[in-house]
């Protein structure tokens, strides 16, 4: 099949490209998929460049078509010149090793079969074999960065080195080889420096302290959106800045005592009301089940289950994020204790504190969730057992599982 995006940026020319693709697909007896986008409007709404918006729209829609129609791959027409321009663009903007290896021949389900050859060779082949093609007139405009590189910068490189394309191709291949080596080494060593707890990634501080190299940690965490400057600060903070948090667009990284903890950002405060009839609460982060028991069970140290005295609950219950000022009465203590102080005592990492939830009966905390979002907590209420001391104190609940730490209870 053939897929074509009409971004509506060149008026009649854009429509002409669409008709050209339709006709060619018909001649070759290929299925043809066409989509129109209000690219400039979408770019304005997102606050990004028109080119960036077009790229996102294009790849998102290609993947949608691939999945819907059952195709295995998306093949694009990028050539070697595109890869060279990408390297120069990344070099000007600032990049790591990966950015100097050009465009990948395969990224997930996207393949680029023409990267081995250049634009001139492709056009020459098309002309010699009477293969029709169209040229995007906007490619001649130097107002776009990539076009400026193509028309203004690269010709100067060729003046210095007429064999520039061959030289940079060899350089890209060598750098790509180094990148493969680094990737393979990190994958081999992965078990020695990383572990996963639910949706949290734990990286061992001592592994990165041993090398004391920002470039190394950058290779590990750049996929989460963290930049090199942040990596320099992270390396500098190991061992003496526990609690410091760094942010990318979608993740947080917390320097903890023994680990760097990477967690998805919590998008919004959560607040749920629970009636006596509710059996299951499903949220984006966890599920919470409710069960009413008629007889007293044999209690077990299951940190995913809380037993509450139904006679002492006031419905509707409220499940929300914990707040400063929240307090509870710890089992075995006569006085109150702030939840924030309790979490400090238990050394719960700062970024994991934010996801802890409390279950309220009126204004009193009846239960606190653990910080791991992959748990499947259960709340069981027992009727007719208000005189049972093990049930009347309703704040015995296990919290967070952390590497190297045992479970604790409120």
């Amino acid at each position: 099949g053939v897929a074509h995006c009409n971004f509506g940026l060149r008026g009649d020319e854009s429509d002409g490209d669409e008709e050209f693709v339709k006709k060619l697909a018909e001649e070759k007896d290929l299925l043809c998929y066409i989509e129109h986008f209000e690219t400039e409007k979408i770019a304005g709404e997102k606050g990004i460049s028109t080119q960036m918006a077009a790229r996102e729209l294009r790849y998102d829609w290609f993947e949608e078509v691939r999945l819907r129609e059952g195709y295995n791959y998306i093949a694009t027409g990028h050539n070697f010149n595109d890869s060279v321009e990408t390297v120069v663009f990344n070099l000007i903007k600032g990049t790591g090793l990966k950015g100097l290896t050009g465009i990948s021949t395969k990224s997930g389900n996207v393949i680029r079969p023409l990267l081995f050859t250049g634009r001139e060779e492709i056009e020459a082949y098309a002309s010699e074999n009477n293969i029709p093609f169209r040229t995007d007139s906007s490619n001649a405009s130097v107002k776009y960065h990539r076009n400026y590189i193509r028309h203004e910068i690269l010709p100067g490189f060729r003046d210095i080195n007429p064999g520039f394309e061959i030289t940079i191709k060899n350089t890209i291949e060598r750098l790509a080889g180094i990148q493969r080596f680094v990737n393979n080494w990190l994958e081999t060593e992965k078990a020695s420096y990383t572990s996963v707890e639910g949706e949290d990634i734990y990286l061992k501080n001592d592994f990165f302290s041993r090398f004391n190299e920002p470039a190394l940690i950058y290779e590990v965490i750049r996929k989460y959106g963290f930049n090199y400057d942040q990596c320099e600060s992270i390396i500098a903070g190991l061992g003496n800045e526990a609690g410091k948090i760094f942010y990318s667009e979608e993740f947080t990284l917390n320097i903890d005592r023994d680990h760097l903890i990477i967690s998805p950002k919590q998008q919004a405060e959560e607040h749920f009301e629970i009636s006596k009839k509710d059996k299951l609460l499903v949220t984006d982060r966890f599920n919470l089940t409710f069960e009413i028991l008629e007889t007293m069970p044999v209690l077990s140290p299951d940190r995913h289950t809380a037993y509450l005295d139904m006679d002492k609950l006031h419905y509707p219950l409220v499940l929300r994020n914990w707040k400063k000022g929240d307090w509870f009465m710890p089992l075995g203590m006569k006085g109150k204790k702030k939840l924030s102080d309790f979490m400090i005592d238990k050394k719960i990492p700062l970024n994991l504190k934010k996801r802890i939830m409390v279950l309220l009966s009126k204004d009193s905390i009846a239960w606190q969730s653990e910080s791991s979002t992959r748990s499947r907590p259960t709340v069981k209420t027992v009727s007719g057992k208000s005189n049972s001391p093990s049930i009347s104190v309703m704040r015995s609940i296990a919290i967070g599982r952390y590497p190297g730490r045992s479970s604790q209870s409120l």
Side-chain angles (χ1 to χ4, degrees):
V2 178
H4 174 75
C5 299
N6 186 334
F7 295 112
L9 299 173
R10 292 175 289 115
D12 292 340
E13 186 180 346
S14 292
D15 295 335
D17 290 345
E18 178 181 331
E19 291 304 316
F20 174 82
V21 172
K22 286 180 178 178
K23 182 179 179 182
L24 185 62
E26 185 178 351
E27 290 176 357
K28 301 297 182 182
D29 195 25
L30 297 171
L31 292 174
C32 185
Y33 309 94
I34 304 290
E35 187 62 81
H36 295 79
F37 295 104
E38 295 181 337
T39 313
E40 291 181 330
K41 178 182 177 182
I42 294 172
E45 291 172 348
K46 290 190 172 184
I48 58 178
S49 69
T50 302
Q51 282 190 312
M52 180 60 73
R55 185 183 188 279
E56 291 181 0
L57 291 168
R58 178 169 62 248
Y59 279 107
D60 288 348
W61 179 65
F62 284 168
E63 179 65 7
E64 180 185 321
V65 173
R66 187 190 72 81
L67 294 173
R68 185 182 68 235
E69 303 297 329
Y71 292 104
N72 294 323
Y73 296 102
I74 299 164
T76 69
H78 292 93
N79 58 64
F80 179 67
N81 295 86
D82 295 314
S83 191
V84 171
E85 292 159 10
T86 296
V87 170
V88 175
F89 180 81
N90 290 341
L91 186 61
I92 293 171
K93 292 290 188 178
T95 187
L97 179 59
K98 175 64 177 175
L100 298 177
T101 60
I103 300 175
S104 301
T105 55
K106 184 177 185 297
S107 301
N109 294 306
V110 178
I111 58 175
R112 303 177 179 93
L114 297 179
L115 281 179
F116 73 94
T117 190
R119 187 178 297 112
E120 290 184 0
E121 289 80 5
I122 294 171
E123 291 181 355
Y125 179 87
S127 298
E128 290 170 5
N129 292 275
N130 296 316
I131 300 174
F133 63 91
R134 286 175 66 89
T135 300
D136 185 339
S137 64
S138 67
N139 287 338
S141 172
V142 294
K143 74 174 183 178
Y144 299 116
H145 290 156
R146 285 183 175 275
N147 291 349
Y148 185 83
I149 290 171
R150 181 181 309 157
H151 298 299
E152 301 293 334
I153 296 179
L154 293 184
F157 287 0
R158 295 187 189 98
D159 290 341
I160 298 172
N161 178 9
F164 168 71
E165 273 78 8
I166 295 175
T167 301
I168 197 168
K169 183 177 183 180
N170 292 336
T171 300
I172 288 174
E173 289 176 353
R174 289 195 292 270
L175 291 173
I178 295 172
Q179 181 71 67
R180 287 192 296 272
F181 170 80
V182 171
N183 290 344
N184 290 337
W185 181 79
L186 286 172
E187 186 62 29
T188 300
E189 295 291 321
K190 192 172 184 178
S192 68
Y193 68 83
T194 187
S195 60
V196 178
E197 291 286 334
E199 58 188 354
D200 304 310
I201 298 96
Y202 288 77
L203 305 175
K204 291 184 178 179
N205 291 351
D206 57 2
F207 178 87
F208 296 99
S209 296
R210 189 165 78 245
F211 295 98
N212 195 34
E213 179 52 67
L216 177 62
I217 195 168
Y218 177 71
E219 289 299 318
V220 175
I221 70 174
R222 61 182 171 84
K223 61 185 175 181
Y224 302 108
F226 297 99
N227 60 48
Y228 190 83
D229 289 342
Q230 290 175 309
C231 292
E232 289 184 318
S233 298
I234 291 168
I235 287 294
L238 290 179
N240 55 32
E241 291 191 78
K244 189 171 183 178
I245 292 184
F246 298 83
Y247 299 93
S248 69
E249 186 174 347
E250 298 181 1
F251 293 88
T252 63
L253 183 149
N254 177 38
I255 300 180
D256 197 32
R257 293 162 183 79
D258 300 315
H259 296 84
L260 303 173
I261 307 173
I262 300 175
S263 308
K265 279 185 178 178
Q266 185 171 324
Q267 298 301 317
E269 295 294 314
E270 296 175 297
H271 187 282
F272 307 96
E273 287 196 359
I274 300 157
S275 72
K276 189 179 295 186
K277 295 180 180 180
D278 288 332
K279 302 297 182 183
L280 175 66
L281 173 66
V282 178
T283 76
D284 292 337
R285 297 194 299 118
F286 60 88
N287 297 343
L288 183 62
T289 60
F290 298 88
E291 181 181 353
I292 297 178
L293 305 177
E294 297 299 329
T295 58
M296 179 67 180
V298 177
L299 300 183
S300 64
D302 177 7
R303 61 181 175 177
H304 298 321
T305 302
Y307 293 91
L308 310 178
D309 187 342
M310 192 168 184
D311 291 343
K312 296 187 177 182
L313 295 179
H314 299 273
Y315 288 89
L317 305 178
V318 172
L319 182 71
R320 62 161 172 80
N321 299 95
W322 80 280
K323 299 177 181 178
K324 289 184 178 180
D326 282 344
W327 58 271
F328 69 103
M329 298 180 65
L331 188 64
M333 286 182 60
K334 295 182 180 179
K336 302 176 182 178
K337 188 177 185 69
K338 285 186 178 180
L339 195 54
S340 57
D341 292 338
F342 175 81
M343 290 189 285
I344 290 174
D345 292 345
K346 299 306 176 184
K347 298 181 173 59
I348 299 176
L350 187 60
N351 57 333
L352 301 189
K353 291 178 183 178
K354 294 181 179 180
R355 70 170 62 136
I356 289 178
M357 308 285 287
V358 292
L359 183 69
L360 302 180
S361 173
K362 280 192 173 179
D363 294 326
S364 298
I365 294 177
W367 176 78
Q368 175 207 332
S369 75
E370 64 170 23
S371 62
S372 173
T373 61
R374 295 300 185 189
S375 64
R376 291 293 180 264
T378 300
V379 173
K380 298 185 179 183
T381 54
V382 185
S383 60
K385 293 292 181 179
S386 58
N387 293 325
S388 171
S390 62
I391 290 298
S392 61
V393 180
M394 297 309 167
R395 294 170 183 87
S396 181
I397 182 67
I399 66 171
R401 182 172 66 246
Y402 309 105
R405 305 189 186 101
S406 59
S407 302
Q408 303 292 340
S409 297
L410 285 178

